[in-house]
Amino acid sequence: MTTAHGHTRREPIAVTLLLAEPAAVVAGDAAESAAKLFKALSDPVRIRLVSLIRCSPGGEACFCDLAEDFAMPQPTLSHHLRVLVTAGILTRERRGTWSWYRLVPESLGELETLLRAGGPLADRPAPLTGADRDRDSRR
């Protein structure tokens, strides 16, 4: 497009700046560990349990208190808590006849490392090389 003064007007071009180097690929052991945590958290009841325990006074909750928030049989709730304990997301401590649950911060920290901006699962894709662009343009 030409302006009234005879100059060629150029359209703006969007530019994306990559502020961080692409993160490393997740190693096999770290992928296995993360998959175990993601699998344990893949149920809405378990997400809610983790949230309730995190927000409980002192960062711990008794089974009896948790049971009040769920309309489900005791064995079903126990199963969900056992999955979270087995995955290493919660710890369980017996006090008399009741079980008390506490969050293991390192487990969620491991997931946070993978999911935070610049992490291996949340980073932008690596820039295309010339060969990649040629291959993609032929598709």
Side-chain angles (χ1 to χ4, degrees):
M1 173 188 289
T2 307
T3 65
H5 301 292
H7 298 292
T8 303
R9 182 179 227 174
R10 295 183 182 162
E11 292 297 316
I13 299 171
V15 175
T16 302
L17 298 176
L18 197 60
L19 299 177
E21 290 293 320
V25 174
V26 180
D29 291 347
E32 290 287 330
S33 177
K36 184 172 90 171
L37 296 172
F38 281 124
K39 185 175 180 181
L41 290 170
S42 68
D43 186 286
V45 170
R46 295 182 206 140
I47 299 263
R48 219 166 136 229
L49 282 166
V50 169
S51 177
L52 285 167
I53 293 167
R54 262 186 103 178
C55 293
S56 294
E60 64 180 5
C62 177
F63 180 89
C64 58
D65 295 331
L66 295 169
E68 293 175 5
D69 285 295
F70 295 91
M72 65 179 61
Q74 178 269 333
T76 303
L77 186 59
S78 291
H79 165 75
H80 286 294
L81 287 162
R82 185 173 42 254
V83 168
L84 292 167
V85 169
T86 301
I89 295 170
L90 298 178
T91 60
R92 179 178 153 249
E93 180 186 342
R94 295 282 294 179
R95 296 183 196 160
T97 58
W98 295 109
S99 292
W100 287 78
Y101 296 89
R102 180 178 287 277
L103 189 66
V104 177
E106 296 81 11
S107 62
L108 294 183
E110 183 179 333
L111 294 179
E112 190 270 334
T113 299
L114 294 172
L115 296 172
R116 75 172 165 234
L121 298 183
D123 200 9
R124 296 183 186 121
L128 293 175
T129 64
D132 293 330
R133 276 192 293 274
D134 293 343
R135 184 185 68 238
D136 287 348
S137 67
R138 290 190 301 258
R139 287 184 185 171

